[in-house]
Amino acid sequence: MSLQEQSDQHVTVLLNEAVEALVTDPDGIYVDGTFGRGGHSRAILEKLSDKGRLVGIDKDPRAIAVADQLAEADSRFSIYHGSFAELEEALQGQKVEGVLLDLGVSSPQLDNAERGFSFMQDGPLDMRMNTTQGESAADWINRAEEQEISRVIWEYGEDRFSRRIARAVIREREEGPITTTKRLANIIAAASSSREKGKHPATRAFQAIRIHINRELDDLVDCLDIALEVLKPGGRLVVISFHSLEDRIAKRFIRKQAKGDELPRWMPVTEDQLNKRLRPIGKAIKPGEQEVKANPRARSAVMRIAEKLI
């Protein structure tokens, strides 16, 4: 196995659980909104009949290269290069039986130092999932004002040292642009006066910057609204989250759509008139002990399932 092949290895989290929840009709059309390296997609295709179809979506050019090979091998599969927030464009008017979103960053992205996601390896400070467009983390960290840096690190990373980190970034970049992951990680570590057990001091800030650069939470909010429109009645929405911010958005969205319209208590309406659009399927699912042992990155995963009503 080459070094490139090793860097592209990815262990799919909650694989069987997600596919079982998603595929209710083998003849249906489904969406894998985060293709990654195709773990979920290949398992979904195994469940589909010759009539079934699967549309994959991914921002990452390297993921697209893998997906193109799958599309050549299986005519039931097609791939769209972009964000899952572009779900309508990817589907071109089609309604679907299921939408799967496996959120966050993939192992190949974390493990490849050139991508700039990891504070454990030194590399260019990039962090873009789609390396063909947009502002890199280095571009942003070297032009953003102190208040904006502090807000991003607090809002998306919930790092209590956000202000101190922002001040340190402003001070240090006066000595020269911050262009590598190692330099930024060292700046963050020096500005963080205490340590969380078993967690690198740059963990939260790197997560926050990555989320900001890739518009991850904004795209998720947009995608959930669109998914509700493209799903057929009886279709499934399956969302796998890896940190509390993502899971909070998915949980609140499902709860809101399951509750229906908020009307005055005095208004006489029947249950059918509340416009309830989703039904939660079971409780949140987390990886079992064996999966976490085999893949420690799975430990924070939470999967939520909902079914389209109307």
Side-chain angles (χ1 to χ4, degrees):
M1 183 183 291
S2 69
L3 289 175
Q4 180 60 54
E5 289 171 330
Q6 289 177 24
S7 71
D8 278 352
Q9 296 304 299
H10 177 68
V11 181
T12 306
V13 177
L14 291 167
L15 176 61
N16 295 327
E17 295 89 341
V19 175
E20 285 296 324
L22 182 75
V23 180
T24 56
D25 177 4
D27 295 338
I29 303 172
Y30 295 87
V31 176
D32 182 354
T34 44
F35 177 81
R37 291 304 181 267
H40 282 122
S41 284
R42 292 184 181 87
I44 291 167
L45 288 166
E46 289 179 5
K47 298 274 287 184
L48 299 185
S49 70
D50 292 340
K51 296 179 181 178
R53 295 291 181 269
L54 175 63
V55 178
I57 302 173
D58 210 289
K59 294 179 178 180
D60 192 332
R62 295 195 181 187
I64 297 300
V66 175
D68 284 340
Q69 294 177 4
L70 180 58
E72 289 179 12
D74 195 326
S75 61
R76 300 172 300 166
F77 176 76
S78 62
I79 185 68
Y80 177 86
H81 186 193
S83 166
F84 51 54
E86 300 165 38
L87 188 55
E88 281 184 309
E89 292 90 330
L91 290 174
Q92 298 181 335
Q94 298 177 98
K95 297 291 185 178
V96 300
E97 275 72 22
V99 175
L100 169 64
L101 303 175
D102 180 10
L103 306 174
V105 65
S106 68
S107 294
Q109 290 169 331
L110 279 173
D111 294 339
N112 188 336
E114 293 179 4
R115 301 302 301 274
F117 288 102
S118 177
F119 44 77
M120 301 300 289
Q121 305 177 72
D122 195 22
L125 187 59
D126 195 316
M127 293 196 195
R128 290 173 298 167
M129 291 180 179
N130 186 350
T131 53
T132 66
Q133 65 182 33
E135 185 177 44
S136 72
D139 291 337
W140 179 75
I141 207 74
N142 286 294
R143 67 133 185 101
E145 295 182 358
E146 180 180 327
Q147 186 176 4
E148 183 184 359
I149 296 171
S150 176
R151 178 190 62 79
V152 165
I153 293 174
W154 171 250
E155 191 172 317
Y156 298 143
E158 299 177 317
D159 192 317
R160 61 195 180 96
F161 297 110
S162 60
R163 291 180 180 177
R164 192 180 299 177
I165 292 169
R167 284 196 297 271
V169 165
I170 299 298
R171 183 174 62 251
E172 290 294 327
R173 76 188 189 189
E174 291 177 357
E175 304 297 321
I178 302 167
T179 59
T180 66
T181 54
K182 184 177 181 181
R183 186 176 173 209
L184 179 58
N186 288 341
I187 292 169
I188 294 168
S192 305
S193 59
S194 67
R195 300 288 184 266
E196 293 181 66
K197 187 177 181 181
K199 184 175 286 189
H200 190 284
T203 300
R204 292 178 178 273
F206 265 62
Q207 170 190 288
I209 296 167
R210 187 203 82 215
I211 288 172
H212 172 73
I213 291 297
N214 294 288
R215 295 189 76 257
E216 292 178 43
L217 300 188
D218 292 332
D219 279 4
L220 176 57
V221 170
D222 292 344
C223 181
L224 290 174
D225 286 334
I226 299 167
L228 192 58
E229 300 306 319
V230 302
L231 279 171
K232 296 177 181 178
R236 295 285 181 87
L237 172 66
V238 180
V239 183
I240 302 173
S241 307
F242 287 84
H243 62 73
S244 60
L245 296 176
E246 296 169 336
D247 184 52
R248 198 177 303 153
I249 290 171
K251 181 180 179 180
R252 287 176 177 174
F253 177 80
I254 292 172
R255 181 188 294 163
K256 178 182 177 182
Q257 298 302 330
K259 184 179 179 181
D261 295 336
E262 292 188 11
L263 300 173
R265 293 183 180 180
W266 50 263
M267 184 175 291
V269 292
T270 65
E271 194 76 7
D272 294 339
Q273 293 174 310
L274 288 175
N275 194 32
K276 295 182 179 182
R277 306 193 67 191
L278 286 178
R279 177 174 69 91
I281 304 295
K283 296 182 179 180
I285 297 172
K286 298 183 179 181
E289 187 177 336
Q290 288 300 112
E291 180 170 7
V292 173
K293 187 175 181 180
N295 179 20
R297 286 177 179 167
R299 65 185 179 275
S300 58
V302 179
M303 183 170 75
R304 296 188 184 275
I305 308 159
E307 185 174 275
K308 174 80 174 284
L309 294 175
I310 57 174

